[in-house]
Amino acid sequence: MKYVDEFRDAELARALGVQIAALTEPGRHYKIMEVCGGHTHTIYKHGIEAHLPDNVELVHGPGCPVCVIPMGRVDDGIAIARNPEVIFTCFGDMMRVPGGNGSFLDAKADGADIRFVYSPLDALKMAVANPDREVVFYAIGFETTAPSTALTLMRAKAEGIKNFSVMCNHVTIVPPLKALLDSPDLRLDAFIGPGHVSTVVGARPYEFICEDYNTPIVVAGFEPLDLLQSILMIMQQLHDGRAEVENQYGRVVPFEGNLRALEVLQEVFELRPYFEWRGLGFISQSALKLSDAYAEYDAELKYSTPGVRVADPKACQCGEVLKGVIKPYECKVFGTACTPETPIGTCMVSSEGACAAYYNFGRFAKSAARADA
């Protein structure tokens, strides 16, 4: 298939692996975080680590939008969904995410009218088709998906649709990266920058990582050669003693971002003073809420919610996984009590979760490695 096979060429992958190895210093350990969950899945689906020297380690970051939703926010959504006049909508991968009192799927089984949709526009169409019901959309995602929510709200306002609202859980990418860099229990040599969110925000917002923390970052695409080339670019920076923002995904990501999308976000949303992230705690100005101009569409103003913070199960170590402190297979319940069929943590539920990536593509290799050790 043209334009896909070119990014999966095995000979080129091996050649990139040789170049990466040539830039490593013996005795030095390199720890590189891929921020985006999509990158994690490419790494394990295509065996990227097999092309890397043993002293180049990849750890996984908080870039999965489902994984970072805290349990209390799931409970808040369920509370809204239980209103008999409400049709509650969300993306399919949110359905099985556990809250403190079960998941959306459990609430649906109990009688709540919860339906999954492929886009916020689908939810708006549902509102038009059901004028005697209230339709609520549970919005999640980084700046990647926030513009589609914003455009849907702008359309609802323009068309005067009143029985539609949004529970906004959109988060932003820069504050959690800063929180990770300030974390005393994590030492990182570089970042593989997220590809999806960068299509909207561009690469310029990451400049603080280089200027304030002297840490390189390379925005990467999602094919195997994208990732290997990005790692090579990082290793070249480390070899040269440089810390710069580089954009490997230039065929999709403009350095300055998508200016029209950023305008839309600015019109519809404003920053929350603080927001709780699963595993990372409260981070100031790290999430979006509807601006005053769109307050009539804010589900959190329309409906009462518990608003209670719910602690993660003690056995679950999603927080440490999201911070790159441990690998998924080092979690006490990975692959035993916690599997994609019986998930305890969000990292095992989401299609972009690191635990799901390891379980689906890497668990047997890791088991063999541990047995050999």
Side-chain angles (χ1 to χ4, degrees):
M1 182 184 293
K2 197 173 183 182
Y3 302 133
V4 173
D5 290 349
E6 291 89 338
F7 292 96
R8 300 179 180 182
D9 186 292
E11 289 300 321
L12 287 176
R14 280 189 280 271
L16 286 167
V18 171
Q19 293 177 64
I20 291 169
L23 292 171
T24 59
E25 298 175 18
R28 178 176 176 181
H29 183 81
Y30 300 86
K31 184 177 282 189
I32 302 171
M33 173 177 281
E34 83 274 4
V35 176
C36 183
H39 285 155
T40 307
H41 276 252
T42 297
I43 288 165
Y44 284 94
K45 183 176 181 181
H46 295 280
I48 297 297
E49 286 189 319
H51 293 280
L52 302 179
D54 291 341
N55 58 339
V56 176
E57 179 187 9
L58 300 179
V59 296
H60 323 297
C64 164
V66 173
C67 299
V68 300
I69 298 296
M71 299 179 78
R73 295 292 291 182
V74 176
D75 287 351
D76 288 347
I78 289 174
I80 294 174
R82 291 192 187 281
N83 287 280
E85 76 274 14
V86 166
I87 299 173
F88 192 87
T89 61
C90 63
F91 293 137
D93 52 1
M94 274 303 306
M95 293 292 283
R96 294 193 305 130
V97 173
N101 296 310
S103 65
F104 290 123
L105 197 59
D106 295 327
K108 182 178 177 65
D110 289 340
D113 191 350
I114 301 176
R115 310 177 190 183
F116 75 83
V117 292
Y118 292 104
S119 75
L121 192 57
D122 288 344
L124 183 63
K125 291 177 180 176
M126 205 174 291
V128 173
N130 296 272
D132 56 338
R133 303 283 301 278
E134 289 285 334
V135 175
V136 178
F137 176 64
Y138 190 84
I140 65 164
F142 287 84
E143 289 95 334
T144 319
T145 55
S148 64
T149 303
L151 287 170
T152 301
L153 286 164
M154 292 170 70
R155 181 166 174 175
K157 188 173 185 178
E159 297 182 1
I161 299 170
K162 302 295 184 184
N163 64 325
F164 176 73
S165 58
V166 168
M167 181 178 172
C168 185
N169 299 282
H170 285 301
V171 290
T172 57
I173 190 65
V174 168
L177 294 182
K178 187 174 187 309
L180 284 173
L181 287 162
D182 288 334
S183 176
D185 58 351
L186 184 64
R187 181 196 62 80
L188 293 173
D189 291 290
F191 286 100
I192 299 173
H196 290 143
V197 69
S198 301
T199 62
V200 175
V201 304
R204 188 174 295 284
Y206 309 129
E207 288 178 334
F208 80 97
I209 295 173
C210 310
E211 295 169 357
D212 298 344
Y213 297 91
N214 196 35
T215 301
I217 178 170
V218 175
V219 176
F222 292 89
E223 291 298 327
L225 293 190
D226 286 327
L227 282 162
L228 284 168
Q229 185 182 22
S230 300
I231 294 167
L232 176 63
M233 293 165 71
I234 285 171
M235 296 304 297
Q236 188 67 61
Q237 285 200 48
L238 293 171
H239 179 268
D240 297 343
R242 293 182 288 118
E244 299 172 2
V245 180
E246 293 184 320
N247 184 13
Q248 184 276 337
Y249 206 21
R251 66 184 186 276
V252 175
V253 173
F255 197 85
E256 300 294 341
N258 183 326
L259 300 182
R260 176 56 185 149
L262 293 172
E263 288 175 4
V264 166
L265 294 182
Q266 191 168 13
E267 176 177 340
V268 176
F269 298 113
E270 60 185 54
L271 287 171
R272 293 178 185 268
Y274 57 87
F275 189 78
E276 183 185 7
W277 290 60
R278 185 164 181 140
L280 300 178
F282 288 94
I283 303 176
S284 63
Q285 298 190 320
S286 64
L288 304 175
K289 67 174 185 175
L290 273 59
S291 65
D292 290 343
Y294 288 84
E296 63 180 309
Y297 295 100
D298 191 337
E300 292 180 81
L301 298 178
K302 271 189 172 182
Y303 305 95
S304 62
T305 58
V308 176
R309 189 181 186 194
V310 180
D312 292 339
K314 289 183 178 178
C316 176
Q317 294 180 275
C318 277
E320 286 85 350
V321 173
L322 288 170
K323 291 190 293 186
V325 175
I326 66 169
K327 296 294 182 65
Y329 60 84
E330 294 174 315
C331 175
K332 291 173 285 190
V333 292
F334 174 81
T336 54
C338 186
T339 69
E341 290 74 28
T342 58
I344 294 176
T346 51
C347 294
M348 189 63 88
V349 179
S350 171
S351 59
E352 291 191 9
C355 294
Y358 271 72
Y359 189 90
N360 290 322
F361 305 120
R363 62 189 166 117
F364 295 117
K366 293 300 178 186
S367 298
R370 278 180 287 175
D372 292 340

